[in-house]
Amino acid sequence: MNNCITTSIFDIFKTGPGPSSSHTIGPMKAALLFRDAMAKLSLNSTGESLEIDVHLFGSLSLTGKGHGTHKAILGGLLGWEPESCDCNLLSRLLEETEKIYEIPFNPKAKTKPLETKPAKTQFIKFTSHHIHFEKVGAKQLPFDGAKQLPFSNTLTFKLSQGNQLLLEKEYYSIGGGFIQCKGEIEQERERPPHAYGNMNQLRKILRKTGLTLSQVILENEQALTGKSKKQIYEGLDNIIGAMCTSVERGLLTDGVLPGPIGLLRKARILMENSHHMKQETGRFLAMLNAYAMAASEENAAGQRVVTAPTSGSAGVMPGVIYLLTHQYHLSREQLREGMLAAAAIAFIAKKNASISGAEVGCQGEVGVASSMAAAFMTYALEGPVKKVENAAEIALEHQLGMTCDPVGGYVQIPCIERNAVGAVTAVNAYILAEAGDPARQKITFDEVVETMMETGQDMCTRYKETALGGLAVCCVSC
Ligand code: SF4
């Protein structure tokens, strides 16, 4: 089969600084790619200084400041990686508009033919004035004369020396921290042994081979990445560990989140309240909400989180995983199996629709996260695959049409509470799927994913991470 899913589990689950995979991690990765491209250049010694200009379009322009896009870009140009950068240092970048940062530029060809010494490092002076938030949406922007930019989250980098343009790149941040570069064809991964493009095809593979869902995902991952089963399990354990750490850090932290809204963190208070609740159900819900909000507040604070499938929705899966680890006492094996099922849901949603709020609204972020968490819970608790599909479908079905309207362009309102609600929906979807007869389920997961895509395409652009509609404009007191 052509056009099958070749996404790796660790493309979906990756660590990076909050608050947004498409507006923070993606742009940082684009800046790192530009840095690599720059390093391949030959430079004439004209004596004129070098300059880098970055232009942001569409959603990146409209909500980039609140999402820390400018800081992430500078971090990437400085060579900082999403998985290892110091999040506190990152959050302090470009706080002073006039501060000059020095970006190293060291072209290989600068040395003379017989010179053995490495070229002296040249630095490019960079300030906040070199990042331009363009006041036009990508869709309206005539680029290269006539063409329109294909994605809302578009960014361009230009390196020049005097009047001479030395290098220009156009990148698209397509959600979940994934980046595409204009004119560059992504290196295709090998076709996996169990090739599928949607849930229907995955179901047929399971029937035909007699393998379990986790076996299929695992064997594909081994073939796609060349990793051993042991390495994949270690990677999954690290990801689960990072998710739980984000919950625990959030539960220990008080105070106001960064930005002009002045939003107070609530997870720790919620957790404390849960200890005093007399009724078991209230306590259970308060804890689940607290876990999801704790990770989501850490994301809003620009701390390290795990994309699942995005940073904006980075509280849903950790909330459910923390619950299952601490209340249901799941084994390590069950947690790993659940993660593999959740990855399958994310692969299919990304392949056939989108996981970008700028493309399809929040249904593609918290909606898909909730669907992944429902699949995780059902599979980890040893539910059959049909029930896993049903749980994933139910969770997404009830979040169809959900818009993305972050107040002030900050990933705080409605995002943080929405993560908590997404986690609760996931558990509810598991309960509903458990009670249903899988053979009589009327809507398939493929159908709900297709509907999400159609709904996203019909959705007015104002509701797709622009902060121009919905709560973003009705909240006058923020
Ligand atoms: S509303 Fe949803 S999609 Fe939009 S920024 Fe918040 S979490 Fe992300």
Side-chain angles (χ1 to χ4, degrees), residues 19-23 63 67 296 299 310-314 355-358 360-367 402-407 409-416 418-419 463-466 471:
S20 168
S21 40
S22 56
H23 287 55
T63 58
H67 287 65
S296 193
N299 176 61
T310 65
S311 306
S313 57
I355 54 169
S356 164
V360 294
C362 199
Q363 53 175 351
E365 296 206 14
V366 171
M402 192 156 68
T403 57
C404 170
D405 49 0
V407 172
Y410 285 80
V411 191
Q412 297 181 9
I413 306 172
C415 320
I416 296 170
R418 185 164 290 173
N419 272 264
Y463 303 117
K464 296 197 254 188
E465 214 161 358
T466 62
L471 282 174

Side-chain angles (χ1 to χ4, degrees), residues 101 159 324:
Y101 295 86
L159 172 73
L324 291 183

